[in-house]
Amino acid sequence: MKKTLVLSAALMTLVGFSSFAEERTLIDFTTLKADIAIWPEDYDGERTENQNKRTIMDYATAAGASFSSEQKSLMKSSLALDEWEVVLNSSAQNVGSLARSVVKAAPVSENSKQPFAGSEVMGVRVVFPSGAYNANAKIVPPFNIPAYEPYSVADDNGDRQKAETAEGESSGPKYLFEADDPSDKASPAYGLVKNVGTIKKIAVTTMGMNFPHGLWVLISDADNITRRYFMGYLNFDGWKTLEWNNPDYITEVRTREIRIYPIYPRGEPFAKFEGFQITRDASHIGDDFIGYFKDVKIIYDKANLTSERDIADEDLWGIIGRRESARQALEMSRFGNKQVNRYVERQKMAVEENFTPSLSSDGDSNAQSNGGQGADAK
């Protein structure tokens, strides 16, 4: 009987240690399909679906009073795949590369053997310089993903509504870019995972095209520090999961440095997706790079063990709420100013593709042909 109790205690200890590690999908690009139309992408007036309802953000609050209510209603952006950007390093920037380096939604064939057949993944085109010098490009979201944006449901116009349960309590996750169900390991996040301690592993599902370039994942933390994680080279063909294993991860608990932090009011640590980085060596081929990405996953230690407490500390003191509200206001201000400036620049852009026909004195248009010469030109 005594031996049985000892074995049971040892088993419970092992289960306790294994429960510290969690696996989560940090971001799944198949969930970022454009499914609502905020403004016409085509200038013929047709409303094209161009934003993702789940991740849409309204930056009209950062716009000045000079904008009309109609203009402010269009000041929205999301993590829809076509909204992501390619940022080239300074030595790789030229007019052609900047214009042709883009991110697009890439449909996966229905006949694919992958479990995500028929979905849309992230497709990336980067135009590297052909000269013999190093270059790199970052694939980043259209805005810095807010870590403290409260969750709410958006309608088909991109306006967020306060979601209520039958009991009148707020439903859904606490933060907008967390998973729909943070307690479900299979529920993918939208670039934000809370309660993250030490990261043990990172995995990226990507389709290689035999390019010799290197792939890095960029992840930031609650201290606003962004770290690069080298995933490997893309010199393979087909779908593959590239993994980074933390070389400094200590599996033996007795050799770990134990640090004790106050449980309250310390903020909850998090991991936030900042993008990819593609590095091209000077000795490798330049010009076009094509890549496809499905998701990013992490295995990590919990920063804090969640448990029921006798007193609701935050309800009583509200310290974390005030801190996070201040951070959220700062994040929205930075995001809004950038997006408003882009909106103004978009409004100034020329939309005409061709010249209007010239009219003769009787009101008829003169046909132009032969490279702009008259129809009778020899």
Coordinates of all heavy atoms in Angstrom, one line a residue, residues 43-110:
Y43 N -12.2 51.2 -58.6 CA -12.8 52.5 -58.7 C -14.0 52.6 -59.5 O -14.5 53.7 -59.8 CB -11.7 53.5 -59.1 CG -10.6 53.7 -58.1 CD1 -9.5 52.9 -58.1 CD2 -10.8 54.5 -57.0 CE1 -8.5 53.1 -57.2 CE2 -9.9 54.7 -56.0 CZ -8.7 54.0 -56.1 OH -7.7 54.1 -55.1
D44 N -14.5 51.5 -60.0 CA -15.8 51.5 -60.7 C -17.0 51.4 -59.7 O -18.1 51.4 -60.2 CB -15.9 50.3 -61.7 CG -15.7 49.0 -61.1 OD1 -15.6 48.9 -59.8 OD2 -15.6 48.0 -61.8
G45 N -16.7 51.4 -58.5 CA -17.7 51.5 -57.5 C -18.1 50.2 -56.9 O -18.9 50.1 -56.0
E46 N -17.6 49.1 -57.4 CA -18.0 47.7 -56.9 C -17.3 47.5 -55.6 O -16.1 47.8 -55.4 CB -17.6 46.6 -57.9 CG -18.4 46.6 -59.2 CD -18.1 45.4 -60.0 OE1 -17.5 44.5 -59.4 OE2 -18.5 45.4 -61.1
R47 N -18.0 47.0 -54.6 CA -17.5 46.7 -53.3 C -16.9 45.4 -53.3 O -17.5 44.3 -53.3 CB -18.6 46.9 -52.2 CG -19.1 48.3 -52.0 CD -20.3 48.3 -51.0 NE -19.9 47.9 -49.7 CZ -19.3 48.6 -48.8 NH1 -19.0 49.9 -49.1 NH2 -19.0 48.2 -47.6
T48 N -15.5 45.3 -53.2 CA -14.8 44.1 -53.2 C -14.4 43.8 -51.7 O -14.0 44.6 -51.0 CB -13.5 44.3 -54.0 OG1 -13.8 44.7 -55.3 CG2 -12.7 42.9 -54.1
E49 N -14.5 42.5 -51.4 CA -14.2 42.1 -50.0 C -12.7 42.3 -49.9 O -11.9 41.6 -50.6 CB -14.6 40.6 -49.8 CG -16.1 40.4 -49.8 CD -16.5 39.0 -49.5 OE1 -15.6 38.1 -49.7 OE2 -17.6 38.7 -49.1
N50 N -12.3 43.1 -49.0 CA -10.9 43.5 -48.8 C -10.4 43.5 -47.4 O -9.2 43.8 -47.1 CB -10.6 44.8 -49.5 CG -11.5 45.9 -48.9 OD1 -12.3 45.7 -48.1 ND2 -11.3 47.1 -49.5
Q51 N -11.2 43.2 -46.4 CA -10.8 43.2 -45.0 C -11.3 42.0 -44.3 O -12.3 41.4 -44.7 CB -11.3 44.5 -44.3 CG -10.8 45.8 -44.9 CD -9.3 46.0 -44.7 OE1 -8.7 45.3 -43.9 NE2 -8.8 46.9 -45.5
N52 N -10.6 41.7 -43.2 CA -11.0 40.5 -42.4 C -11.8 41.0 -41.2 O -11.3 41.7 -40.4 CB -9.7 39.8 -42.0 CG -10.0 38.6 -41.0 OD1 -9.8 38.7 -39.8 ND2 -10.4 37.5 -41.6
K53 N -13.0 40.5 -41.1 CA -13.9 41.0 -40.0 C -13.4 40.7 -38.6 O -13.5 41.5 -37.7 CB -15.3 40.3 -40.2 CG -16.3 40.8 -39.2 CD -17.6 39.9 -39.1 CE -18.4 39.9 -40.4 NZ -19.7 39.2 -40.2
R54 N -12.8 39.5 -38.4 CA -12.4 39.1 -37.1 C -11.3 40.0 -36.5 O -11.2 40.3 -35.3 CB -11.9 37.7 -37.1 CG -11.3 37.1 -35.8 CD -12.3 37.2 -34.7 NE -11.8 36.6 -33.4 CZ -11.0 37.2 -32.6 NH1 -10.5 38.4 -32.9 NH2 -10.6 36.6 -31.5
T55 N -10.4 40.6 -37.4 CA -9.2 41.3 -36.9 C -9.3 42.8 -37.3 O -8.3 43.5 -37.2 CB -8.0 40.7 -37.5 OG1 -8.0 40.8 -38.9 CG2 -7.8 39.3 -37.0
I56 N -10.4 43.3 -37.7 CA -10.5 44.7 -38.2 C -10.3 45.7 -37.0 O -10.8 45.4 -35.9 CB -11.8 44.9 -39.0 CG1 -11.7 46.2 -39.8 CG2 -13.0 45.0 -38.0 CD1 -12.7 46.3 -40.9
M57 N -9.7 46.8 -37.3 CA -9.4 47.8 -36.4 C -9.9 49.1 -37.0 O -9.7 49.4 -38.1 CB -7.9 47.9 -36.0 CG -7.4 46.7 -35.2 SD -7.8 46.8 -33.5 CE -6.8 48.1 -33.0
D58 N -10.4 50.0 -36.1 CA -10.9 51.3 -36.5 C -9.9 52.4 -36.0 O -9.7 52.5 -34.8 CB -12.3 51.6 -35.9 CG -12.9 52.8 -36.4 OD1 -12.2 53.6 -37.1 OD2 -14.1 53.1 -36.2
Y59 N -9.3 53.1 -37.0 CA -8.3 54.1 -36.6 C -8.9 55.5 -36.8 O -8.1 56.5 -36.8 CB -7.0 54.0 -37.3 CG -7.2 53.9 -38.8 CD1 -7.0 55.0 -39.6 CD2 -7.4 52.7 -39.5 CE1 -7.1 54.9 -41.0 CE2 -7.5 52.6 -40.9 CZ -7.3 53.7 -41.6 OH -7.4 53.6 -43.0
A60 N -10.2 55.7 -36.9 CA -10.8 57.0 -37.1 C -10.7 57.8 -35.8 O -10.7 59.1 -35.9 CB -12.3 56.9 -37.4
T61 N -10.5 57.2 -34.7 CA -10.3 57.9 -33.4 C -9.1 58.8 -33.4 O -9.0 59.7 -32.6 CB -10.3 57.0 -32.2 OG1 -9.3 56.0 -32.4 CG2 -11.6 56.2 -32.1
A62 N -8.1 58.4 -34.2 CA -6.9 59.2 -34.3 C -6.9 60.3 -35.4 O -6.0 61.1 -35.5 CB -5.7 58.3 -34.6
A63 N -8.0 60.3 -36.2 CA -8.1 61.3 -37.2 C -8.6 62.6 -36.6 O -9.3 62.7 -35.6 CB -9.1 60.8 -38.3
G64 N -8.2 63.7 -37.3 CA -8.6 65.0 -36.8 C -10.0 65.4 -37.2 O -10.7 64.6 -37.9
A65 N -10.4 66.6 -36.8 CA -11.8 67.0 -37.1 C -12.0 67.4 -38.5 O -13.2 67.7 -39.0 CB -12.2 68.2 -36.2
S66 N -10.9 67.5 -39.3 CA -11.1 67.9 -40.7 C -11.7 66.8 -41.6 O -12.0 67.1 -42.8 CB -9.7 68.3 -41.3 OG -8.8 67.3 -41.2
F67 N -11.8 65.6 -41.1 CA -12.3 64.5 -41.9 C -13.8 64.4 -41.7 O -14.3 64.6 -40.6 CB -11.6 63.2 -41.6 CG -10.2 63.1 -41.9 CD1 -9.2 63.4 -40.9 CD2 -9.7 62.8 -43.2 CE1 -7.9 63.4 -41.2 CE2 -8.4 62.8 -43.5 CZ -7.5 63.0 -42.5
S68 N -14.5 64.1 -42.8 CA -16.0 63.9 -42.7 C -16.3 62.6 -42.0 O -15.5 61.7 -42.0 CB -16.6 64.0 -44.1 OG -16.2 62.9 -44.9
S69 N -17.5 62.4 -41.6 CA -18.0 61.2 -41.0 C -17.9 60.0 -42.0 O -17.6 58.9 -41.7 CB -19.4 61.3 -40.5 OG -20.3 61.7 -41.5
E70 N -18.1 60.4 -43.3 CA -18.0 59.4 -44.4 C -16.6 58.9 -44.5 O -16.3 57.7 -44.7 CB -18.6 59.9 -45.7 CG -18.5 58.9 -46.8 CD -19.1 59.5 -48.1 OE1 -19.5 60.6 -48.1 OE2 -19.1 58.7 -49.1
Q71 N -15.6 59.8 -44.5 CA -14.2 59.5 -44.6 C -13.8 58.6 -43.4 O -13.1 57.7 -43.5 CB -13.4 60.7 -44.7 CG -13.5 61.5 -46.1 CD -12.8 62.8 -46.1 OE1 -12.7 63.5 -45.1 NE2 -12.2 63.1 -47.2
K72 N -14.3 59.0 -42.2 CA -13.9 58.3 -41.0 C -14.4 56.9 -41.0 O -13.8 55.9 -40.5 CB -14.3 59.0 -39.8 CG -13.5 60.3 -39.5 CD -14.0 60.9 -38.2 CE -13.2 62.2 -37.8 NZ -13.5 62.8 -36.6
S73 N -15.6 56.7 -41.7 CA -16.2 55.3 -41.7 C -15.3 54.4 -42.5 O -15.5 53.2 -42.4 CB -17.6 55.4 -42.3 OG -17.6 55.8 -43.6
L74 N -14.4 54.9 -43.4 CA -13.6 54.1 -44.2 C -12.2 53.9 -43.6 O -11.4 53.1 -44.2 CB -13.4 54.7 -45.6 CG -14.7 55.0 -46.4 CD1 -14.4 55.7 -47.7 CD2 -15.4 53.7 -46.7
M75 N -11.9 54.5 -42.5 CA -10.6 54.4 -41.9 C -10.5 53.1 -41.0 O -10.5 53.2 -39.8 CB -10.3 55.6 -41.1 CG -10.2 56.9 -41.9 SD -9.8 58.3 -40.9 CE -9.7 59.6 -42.1
K76 N -10.4 52.0 -41.7 CA -10.4 50.7 -41.0 C -9.3 49.9 -41.7 O -9.1 50.0 -42.9 CB -11.7 50.0 -41.0 CG -12.8 50.7 -40.3 CD -14.1 49.9 -40.4 CE -15.2 50.6 -39.5 NZ -15.7 51.9 -40.1
S77 N -8.7 49.0 -40.9 CA -7.7 48.1 -41.5 C -7.7 46.8 -40.7 O -8.3 46.8 -39.6 CB -6.3 48.7 -41.4 OG -5.3 47.9 -42.0
S78 N -7.2 45.7 -41.3 CA -7.3 44.4 -40.6 C -6.1 43.6 -41.0 O -5.2 44.1 -41.7 CB -8.6 43.7 -41.0 OG -8.5 43.3 -42.4
L79 N -6.0 42.4 -40.5 CA -4.9 41.5 -40.8 C -5.2 40.7 -42.1 O -4.6 39.6 -42.3 CB -4.6 40.6 -39.7 CG -4.1 41.2 -38.4 CD1 -3.7 40.2 -37.3 CD2 -2.9 42.1 -38.6
A80 N -6.1 41.1 -42.9 CA -6.4 40.4 -44.2 C -5.0 40.3 -45.0 O -4.2 41.2 -44.9 CB -7.4 41.2 -45.0
L81 N -4.8 39.2 -45.6 CA -3.5 38.9 -46.2 C -3.0 39.9 -47.1 O -1.8 40.2 -47.2 CB -3.6 37.5 -46.8 CG -3.8 36.3 -45.9 CD1 -4.0 35.0 -46.6 CD2 -2.6 36.2 -44.9
D82 N -3.9 40.5 -47.9 CA -3.4 41.5 -48.9 C -3.0 42.8 -48.3 O -2.4 43.6 -48.9 CB -4.6 41.8 -49.9 CG -4.8 40.6 -50.9 OD1 -4.0 39.7 -50.9 OD2 -5.8 40.6 -51.6
E83 N -3.3 43.0 -47.0 CA -2.9 44.2 -46.3 C -1.5 44.1 -45.7 O -0.9 45.1 -45.3 CB -3.9 44.4 -45.1 CG -5.3 44.7 -45.6 CD -5.4 46.1 -46.2 OE1 -5.1 47.1 -45.6 OE2 -5.8 46.2 -47.4
W84 N -0.9 42.9 -45.7 CA 0.5 42.8 -45.1 C 1.5 43.4 -46.0 O 1.2 43.6 -47.2 CB 0.8 41.3 -44.9 CG 0.0 40.7 -43.7 CD1 -1.3 40.6 -43.7 CD2 0.5 40.2 -42.5 NE1 -1.7 40.0 -42.5 CE2 -0.6 39.7 -41.8 CE3 1.8 40.0 -42.0 CZ2 -0.4 39.1 -40.5 CZ3 2.0 39.4 -40.8 CH2 0.9 39.0 -40.0
E85 N 2.6 43.8 -45.5 CA 3.6 44.6 -46.2 C 5.0 43.9 -46.2 O 5.3 43.1 -45.4 CB 3.8 45.9 -45.5 CG 2.5 46.7 -45.4 CD 2.7 47.9 -44.5 OE1 3.9 48.3 -44.2 OE2 1.7 48.5 -44.0
V86 N 5.7 44.2 -47.3 CA 7.1 43.8 -47.4 C 8.0 45.0 -47.2 O 7.9 46.0 -47.9 CB 7.4 43.1 -48.8 CG1 8.9 42.8 -48.9 CG2 6.5 41.9 -49.0
V87 N 8.9 44.9 -46.2 CA 9.8 46.0 -45.9 C 11.2 45.5 -46.2 O 11.8 44.7 -45.5 CB 9.7 46.4 -44.4 CG1 10.6 47.5 -44.1 CG2 8.3 46.8 -44.0
L88 N 11.8 46.1 -47.2 CA 13.2 45.8 -47.7 C 14.2 46.6 -46.9 O 13.9 47.7 -46.5 CB 13.3 46.1 -49.1 CG 12.5 45.2 -50.1 CD1 12.4 45.9 -51.5 CD2 13.1 43.8 -50.2
N89 N 15.4 46.0 -46.6 CA 16.4 46.8 -46.0 C 16.9 47.9 -47.0 O 16.7 47.8 -48.2 CB 17.5 45.9 -45.5 CG 18.3 45.3 -46.7 OD1 17.7 44.8 -47.6 ND2 19.6 45.4 -46.6
S90 N 17.6 48.8 -46.4 CA 18.0 50.0 -47.2 C 18.8 49.7 -48.5 O 18.5 50.3 -49.5 CB 18.8 51.0 -46.3 OG 19.9 50.4 -45.8
S91 N 19.7 48.8 -48.4 CA 20.5 48.5 -49.6 C 19.7 47.7 -50.7 O 20.2 47.6 -51.8 CB 21.7 47.7 -49.2 OG 21.4 46.4 -48.6
A92 N 18.6 47.2 -50.3 CA 17.8 46.4 -51.3 C 16.6 47.3 -51.9 O 15.9 46.8 -52.7 CB 17.2 45.2 -50.6
Q93 N 16.5 48.5 -51.4 CA 15.4 49.3 -51.9 C 15.7 50.0 -53.2 O 16.7 50.8 -53.2 CB 15.0 50.3 -50.8 CG 14.4 49.8 -49.5 CD 14.1 50.8 -48.5 OE1 14.2 52.0 -48.7 NE2 13.7 50.4 -47.3
N94 N 14.9 49.8 -54.1 CA 14.8 50.6 -55.4 C 13.4 50.6 -55.8 O 12.5 49.9 -55.3 CB 15.8 50.0 -56.4 CG 15.4 48.5 -56.8 OD1 14.4 48.3 -57.3 ND2 16.3 47.6 -56.4
V95 N 13.1 51.4 -56.8 CA 11.7 51.7 -57.2 C 11.1 50.4 -57.7 O 9.9 50.0 -57.3 CB 11.7 52.7 -58.3 CG1 10.2 52.9 -58.9 CG2 12.1 54.1 -57.8
G96 N 11.8 49.6 -58.5 CA 11.2 48.3 -59.0 C 10.9 47.3 -57.9 O 9.9 46.7 -57.8
S97 N 11.9 47.2 -56.9 CA 11.7 46.2 -55.8 C 10.6 46.6 -54.9 O 9.8 45.8 -54.5 CB 13.0 46.1 -55.0 OG 14.0 45.6 -55.9
L98 N 10.5 47.9 -54.6 CA 9.4 48.4 -53.7 C 8.0 48.2 -54.3 O 7.1 47.9 -53.7 CB 9.6 49.8 -53.4 CG 10.9 50.2 -52.5 CD1 11.1 51.7 -52.4 CD2 10.7 49.6 -51.1
A99 N 7.9 48.4 -55.6 CA 6.6 48.3 -56.3 C 6.2 46.8 -56.5 O 5.0 46.5 -56.5 CB 6.7 49.0 -57.7
R100 N 7.1 45.9 -56.7 CA 6.8 44.5 -57.0 C 6.8 43.6 -55.8 O 6.4 42.4 -55.9 CB 7.7 44.0 -58.1 CG 7.4 44.7 -59.5 CD 8.4 44.2 -60.5 NE 9.8 44.6 -60.3 CZ 10.8 44.0 -60.8 NH1 10.7 42.9 -61.5 NH2 12.1 44.4 -60.5
S101 N 7.4 44.0 -54.7 CA 7.4 43.1 -53.5 C 6.1 43.3 -52.8 O 5.8 44.3 -52.2 CB 8.6 43.5 -52.6 OG 9.8 43.3 -53.3
V102 N 5.3 42.2 -52.8 CA 3.9 42.3 -52.2 C 3.6 41.0 -51.5 O 4.2 40.0 -51.6 CB 2.9 42.5 -53.3 CG1 3.1 43.9 -54.0 CG2 2.9 41.4 -54.4
V103 N 2.5 41.1 -50.7 CA 1.9 39.9 -50.1 C 0.5 39.7 -50.6 O -0.3 40.7 -50.8 CB 1.8 40.1 -48.5 CG1 1.2 38.9 -47.9 CG2 3.2 40.4 -48.0
K104 N 0.1 38.4 -50.9 CA -1.2 38.1 -51.5 C -1.7 36.9 -50.8 O -1.0 36.0 -50.3 CB -1.1 37.9 -53.0 CG -0.8 39.2 -53.8 CD -0.9 38.9 -55.3 CE -0.7 40.1 -56.1 NZ -0.9 39.8 -57.6
A105 N -3.1 36.8 -50.9 CA -3.7 35.5 -50.5 C -3.5 34.5 -51.5 O -3.8 34.7 -52.7 CB -5.2 35.8 -50.2
A106 N -3.0 33.3 -51.2 CA -2.7 32.3 -52.1 C -3.6 31.1 -51.9 O -3.5 30.4 -50.9 CB -1.2 31.8 -52.0
P107 N -4.6 30.8 -52.8 CA -5.5 29.7 -52.7 C -4.7 28.4 -52.8 O -3.9 28.2 -53.8 CB -6.5 29.9 -53.8 CG -6.3 31.3 -54.3 CD -4.9 31.6 -54.0
V108 N -5.0 27.4 -51.9 CA -4.4 26.1 -52.0 C -5.4 25.2 -52.8 O -6.6 25.3 -52.6 CB -4.2 25.5 -50.6 CG1 -3.6 24.1 -50.7 CG2 -3.3 26.4 -49.8
S109 N -4.9 24.4 -53.7 CA -5.7 23.5 -54.5 C -6.6 22.6 -53.7 O -6.2 22.1 -52.6 CB -4.8 22.7 -55.4 OG -5.6 21.7 -56.1
E110 N -7.8 22.4 -54.1 CA -8.7 21.5 -53.5 C -8.2 20.1 -53.5 O -8.6 19.2 -52.7 CB -10.1 21.5 -54.2 CG -10.8 22.8 -54.1 CD -11.5 23.0 -52.7 OE1 -11.4 22.1 -51.9 OE2 -12.1 24.1 -52.5

